[in-house]
Amino acid sequence: TRRGVPEAILAEGKTPTETADLAATSVETTRRAVVTRVDSETAQAVEAGLPDPVDIDYDERARTLVAHAPDFDAPALDATVAVVTAGTSDAPVAGEASVVAREMGATVEWLEDVGVAHLGRILDVLDPIRAADVVVVAAGREGALPTVVAGLVDTPVVGLPVSTGYGFGGDGEAALAGMLQSCTVLSVVNVDAGFVAGAQAGLVARAVDAARSGEGSN
Amino acid sequence: TRRGVPEAILAEGKTPTETADLAATSVETTRRAVVTRVDSETAQAVEAGLPDPVDIDYDERARTLVAHAPDFDAPALDATVAVVTAGTSDAPVAGEASVVAREMGATVEWLEDVGVAHLGRILDVLDPIRAADVVVVAAGREGALPTVVAGLVDTPVVGLPVSTGYGFGGDGEAALAGMLQSCTVLSVVNVDAGFVAGAQAGLVARAVDAARSGEGSN
Amino acid sequence: TRRGVPEAILAEGKTPTETADLAATSVETTRRAVVTRVDSETAQAVEAGLPDPVDIDYDERARTLVAHAPDFDAPALDATVAVVTAGTSDAPVAGEASVVAREMGATVEWLEDVGVAHLGRILDVLDPIRAADVVVVAAGREGALPTVVAGLVDTPVVGLPVSTGYGFGGDGEAALAGMLQSCTVLSVVNVDAGFVAGAQAGLVARAVDAARSGEGSN
Amino acid sequence: TRRGVPEAILAEGKTPTETADLAATSVETTRRAVVTRVDSETAQAVEAGLPDPVDIDYDERARTLVAHAPDFDAPALDATVAVVTAGTSDAPVAGEASVVAREMGATVEWLEDVGVAHLGRILDVLDPIRAADVVVVAAGREGALPTVVAGLVDTPVVGLPVSTGYGFGGDGEAALAGMLQSCTVLSVVNVDAGFVAGAQAGLVARAVDAARSGEGSN
Amino acid sequence: TRRGVPEAILAEGKTPTETADLAATSVETTRRAVVTRVDSETAQAVEAGLPDPVDIDYDERARTLVAHAPDFDAPALDATVAVVTAGTSDAPVAGEASVVAREMGATVEWLEDVGVAHLGRILDVLDPIRAADVVVVAAGREGALPTVVAGLVDTPVVGLPVSTGYGFGGDGEAALAGMLQSCTVLSVVNVDAGFVAGAQAGLVARAVDAARSGEGSN
Amino acid sequence: TRRGVPEAILAEGKTPTETADLAATSVETTRRAVVTRVDSETAQAVEAGLPDPVDIDYDERARTLVAHAPDFDAPALDATVAVVTAGTSDAPVAGEASVVAREMGATVEWLEDVGVAHLGRILDVLDPIRAADVVVVAAGREGALPTVVAGLVDTPVVGLPVSTGYGFGGDGEAALAGMLQSCTVLSVVNVDAGFVAGAQAGLVARAVDAARSGEGSN
Amino acid sequence: TRRGVPEAILAEGKTPTETADLAATSVETTRRAVVTRVDSETAQAVEAGLPDPVDIDYDERARTLVAHAPDFDAPALDATVAVVTAGTSDAPVAGEASVVAREMGATVEWLEDVGVAHLGRILDVLDPIRAADVVVVAAGREGALPTVVAGLVDTPVVGLPVSTGYGFGGDGEAALAGMLQSCTVLSVVNVDAGFVAGAQAGLVARAVDAARSGEGSN
Amino acid sequence: TRRGVPEAILAEGKTPTETADLAATSVETTRRAVVTRVDSETAQAVEAGLPDPVDIDYDERARTLVAHAPDFDAPALDATVAVVTAGTSDAPVAGEASVVAREMGATVEWLEDVGVAHLGRILDVLDPIRAADVVVVAAGREGALPTVVAGLVDTPVVGLPVSTGYGFGGDGEAALAGMLQSCTVLSVVNVDAGFVAGAQAGLVARAVDAARSGEGSN
Ligand SMILES: Nc1ncnc2c1ncn2[C@@H]1O[C@H](COP(=O)(O)O)[C@@H](O)[C@H]1O
Ligand SMILES: Nc1ncnc2c1ncn2[C@@H]1O[C@H](COP(=O)(O)O)[C@@H](O)[C@H]1O
Ligand SMILES: Nc1ncnc2c1ncn2[C@@H]1O[C@H](COP(=O)(O)O)[C@@H](O)[C@H]1O
Ligand SMILES: Nc1ncnc2c1ncn2[C@@H]1O[C@H](COP(=O)(O)O)[C@@H](O)[C@H]1O
Ligand SMILES: [Mg+2]
Ligand SMILES: [Mg+2]
Ligand SMILES: [Mg+2]
Ligand SMILES: [Mg+2]
Ligand SMILES: [Mg+2]
Ligand SMILES: [Mg+2]
Ligand SMILES: [Mg+2]
Ligand SMILES: [Mg+2]
């Protein structure tokens, strides 16, 4: 776990058995396994392959599986990450971001379905977004939500483009381009890179936590 | 003037003299000249080349010049087009749209600097936007404004992407892609095609005007 | 139904059961369901899941399914939308446009197989196209038909590029680019965005209908 | 002159003096010079540098200069090439095609400003187009004209995309893509490749001429 | 059969039954069917669906099927088309070109596996290539063969890019770009557009044949 | 100054006089002006146009000009931003980042010419990079430096691609793509968006500073 | 075997039987078969189809199969090729490079998992890399490893981009662009072109071997 | 001089004075200066700024300037690099390659104007190409020449794409793509990267020279 970022296992492109073996080794050596892009068949193989007693949390929508050995010493940061999604199809990618930030020890505030075409909804959830130390905003299609959110908060925002949309600019390209062109201040990760967005937010949370505990003042 | 759309003269790529000659011919034959992308040197050449008395309107920011002969019979529609811009750099392109719609006879409501990162400003100008029969929304960079506006009005919206921005998605490509991917209902014209956006809005205004005067009921 | 545009359920990417559940909820809450990109298996699931008596219209070619509860109060506009297709492969996408416009209350005039390489055919169908208040023109490959139609009518034209074609410019890119470059006045929606084109035409039809009923004169 | 195609000198990117020297050498060795993309300064330098008496033809709009020594034995084919342009901005590129075909010995029929948005104009010039043995059609922006022409004639058509247009698909890309996607039978050359289009038409004219003179029957 | 080009049925994207029905109708109305991109299951369906006696020619490699009714009056041109391929993977696309040219009545000379990296092979087949009236050259990957062939013959060459290759410029884009950039005189069709290349060559063959029979001299 | 980010004036595309006027107004209303992409002529115009006494800092290499009125209350954060550049050509863009972070109150640590092809140099400057709370890494051409740095530090890294390079992937596209594809955890801004990178780092610095001063603990 | 590069059979896109037949013919005529992109079903078919006794080496990870007849006279060069991979997903493509270089007679030094984000690992394997005469470096995602290696060795480096990665620059495009933009001296092959990279390294090894044996001094 | 590659000064983007200063420093510290992309004004400034006596070689066509102090100890390799160009417009870029290889100590064989459309010319220069230890082949437009050359020689070939050409694939993209797709064995550098191509060839020459002098046998 360099920088506190857990080594995650990407299940996509591996057989259930390969993934299960890697997860078992990870639990053995680090007392934890974080697996992403897991379908239900793979989840079963992983669960079957892990020793007892292990605490397993499989999130079907986010397609993530996290396993903690009883003696795993979970990090706990005094810092909050808000994860905001534009629509239901952004949930899996945003879910990855959420899991990673949580495993890095941050408190995660999840705020979903905050579409840019319904401004009322954004205003409703503004308080919990503003209360967080750093915000991840996932959006597909035209990807305008991170810009709107960054115009309303005081904290760093990480834009997470999602590969929805079709035709010209589809597959997340319009969303990525829109976030890079944003007329507000944002930084961005690659299309569908939920893991990276969550980990970057986690790194900010770690910096804030360290400052809160009195580390590192100049 | 097919469909009521004036034949415009695109000054860009022509010498001042060529443009002036075309404008003079246009006034002679149609009693009007509409010239776009006019710099001040060309404007002077055109003014010098037109017969007296002619009513000349040169808009330096929109880079348009309109000339009406005294006997020009200006169209007048019972319909309004709102032209909304995201930022000051969108003004020249949006100005083209405004001029064309006005020359087609529509009343034009101009609403400028309605940035997507300042939601308060949008809500301030919502009433006049809602009062129009059709809306043109010009925006560069991430081009999110037409989506936000279309989520707030009941009328057709035409998105007009502007070639601002730099790096990936610059030159209007992110704005165009974002409008095409919009999660609301919009139609779109090409980057910087202010003339086309204004004329399309003018065609809708004509349809509304005709309906108001009792034409064409089924 | 904001702006009179029905909330549609996109069946693509959902299981038949998920789609059927969403459709049942939609009928329950809004007395109507509009489902797009429906294959026959999904259509059966939806039909089975809807309460009796409901009026169901499944269009196999357009891949749309519309359900009306007996007490659904269908809108009716005094306005016509023409939907024109270049070839048979444009029919599914154009069909989506047609269904949405009809569900918004417009009368739809369907004119198919009006290829740009056979000018005679275009001239044959010109009268019904000209009689409509707004025109949607669907075309794939080189996408030239909207330009030719817009040169022949007096009303607004919405270009709808279709993802046919192969090689360079295939998948609708040449059609989209051609419509954006058109030397006539057009607005455009994204590739295969039949729903958006139909809804934009429906919004124009609503404006015309309101004007015909005497609303909104300045 | 391989295949009867004259070696042309591309003035663009050369100094007037360099171009003049190459033209003088060309006249000396082949009794002819064909220079393309010539501005007026270069034209003067070339004229000054050529020996007397030489017959010089400088076409300002096509930006071509052709020089024949008195003893140049001009080829003469019993075959006609039609060169058709969509708009005035296509004229320089189409002019290059015309000059090359003529220098290969073909009779050239020039038909200009045959825009695709005015079908009447196309029908007016159909007879001379049909009378030619091969047709070059130059078009910018959406590049639809070659498709419309190929749907009306019985002979081979070569599409010549021109780098007009702006925004998405500008600089001739939409025109090129549209011609490659054409739903009729066409072959195509690169954007602004007037020289190549004219030479390819000239090669067809040579094949027809040879057949007319009785060569090569199987 | 406009311009003598047969109406072909594209089997790809149709069920075997749909294709068989269209083929049967084509034979009934035109005494011929030309079907492209046919797999063996479809070929069987088509054969089963055609009336007896019909002459059927299914080319497995070119994936084409041609059916002639006994009373079909096949065209016969006094002209030859050479079809040259760079490698074995170009054969299916080139085969389409060959079938169309033959059905238009041309004599077809087939010359395969003429790779650009083995100059000896090119020189071996030069005589039959030179003897043809027009040449189609199919090539994938870097697509250099049409340029080399056009440098060696006196007749028109049509370049046919094939969607082989991988990585940057794969799927025929490098081949298409290379042919459009060729330093010799060529015209080009879209990637994998064997039908178009063959038909364009057929149109040249028709022009040559007409000239040989004494038609159309000026 | 929303979020503490100063409103900057982009001199590029404005005349020296326009820029000077905007700078004077900015000093008048906010007691400060931050101008970016300033050439020396514009710098003189701005200096001449500002009232006395004002503290002016013109950085020729970064092309930034900062003016503080005597009563300007400069923010001061207890947090450090490291700005690292790969080569000398990255300095102007990185300089923008540095100025913005400093104006937001952060201490800036500037580390230049840390090329990825000379690993020794990276190791030499590792201590000051590690001591910062957040790191901006600017790199052009292949843009690999942010990846290497992020592999060596414990804090958040913001990648800043610079528009150097030529040929395929030039103008910063390879650098942007490389940073988005990074196998470590990074977030990214658009090509040459030094202002955005600096402001995003400044926002992290503000969060750390607030935590150090005891704000916001959960 | 021109230039000593073995003719390889690409199994991808062929049936197991086709591949087996080609392999048998290759052994018969050249006493060797080199097959690439082989899955286990194809490997079995090839093994079954080869005559006895033949020495078969199937590398499951590299997906290559090499067969030598007993009387095959294997080349042996006095030269070494190092093949370095950035991560485990680069192994199949790098494996192809390795097999080809070995079959050309070079000694191959295989060094895997030398990620750019862990500089220690690179320094560990530097000695065997430096000892080789030429180096192939395979890397996906951001493709930075060849640049780092080339900065540390004295010999020619061939960059081999691998089609890993997703989103913008995915499928090997970022890696290719990064290697082409490298600020060190490298040459490059296409994405996933392991065969070409290995053969190019093999050609350098042949040149070195010939020089070592005293050939070709000027 | 790492790997024997001279540190070159890129004059493009620097003032004549800046370049002259860097050149003077380079001569002072390394006894040599290699300057690329030098125009005549800069060449004069450099010459004026260098101390006497220095041996200066300014190549106007290659736009390179090389200066050797009297005590410069020029490397001399027992190895030859052939530099082959397709056309006259490739000469400047190929010239850069030539200068770098020579400064690394290789003997350079220069073979120009070896167009792919005139096979005779290629065969004429085959002997000196074959005699070299490594070959750089520069080509623009369709970039086919390196493929043809690599099919005829036994040594490593480095393809050098040149930014000639226009329209689709212009600016060297078609040439780069064609070389990456080559059906022979080649490695490639970026468009116009003459310096890199020459240095890579120089590295091969160094390896060969070392082998000839008996170094490094295994
Ligand atoms: N700013 C503009 N944008 C798009 N089209 C324009 C513009 N100004 C004029 N046009 C149209 O372009 C055509 C004029 O082209 P030209 O013949 O080159 O002057 C006419 O059809 C005009 O209506
Ligand atoms: N065929 C379609 N094309 C574009 N948008 C659609 C289509 N069908 C449904 N929609 C819209 O897509 C959204 C539904 O998305 P979802 O929540 O994923 O079902 C709603 O706003 C619909 O109005
Ligand atoms: N306008 C043009 N477009 C394309 N090729 C041309 C043109 N003018 C001349 N050429 C050809 O370009 C080559 C001349 O290139 P250069 O040696 O650079 O003068 C000759 O093969 C000419 O036939
Ligand atoms: N023509 C050239 N093409 C590519 N790299 C060059 C060229 N000339 C000089 N260089 C390299 O570019 C770097 C100099 O960049 P700079 O510090 O901007 O002068 C050095 O590594 C040179 O070796
Ligand atoms: Mg969104
Ligand atoms: Mg905007
Ligand atoms: Mg079409
Ligand atoms: Mg056109
Ligand atoms: Mg090929
Ligand atoms: Mg760099
Ligand atoms: Mg890598
Ligand atoms: Mg070339």
Side-chain angles (χ1 to χ4, degrees), chain H residues 18 25 32 56 102-104 125-126 137 152 154 181-182 184 196 200 215:
Chain H
E18 285 170 355
T25 308
R32 170 169 65 180
I56 293 175
R102 211 180 53 215
E103 287 301 305
M104 290 177 74
V125 296
L126 205 49
V137 186
L152 295 166
D154 216 50
Q181 294 290 346
S182 175
T184 58
V196 179
Q200 179 78 340
E215 272 175 43

Side-chain angles (χ1 to χ4, degrees), chain F residues 88-89 141 166, chain G residues 183, chain H residues 6-10 14 22 36-37 96 192-196:
Chain F
T88 50
S89 49
R141 303 201 58 166
Y166 55 92
Chain G
C183 51
Chain H
E7 271 306 312
I9 297 157
L10 183 69
K14 304 201 171 79
L22 289 167
T36 63
R37 313 220 170 157
E96 259 185 33
D192 290 341
F195 183 91
V196 179

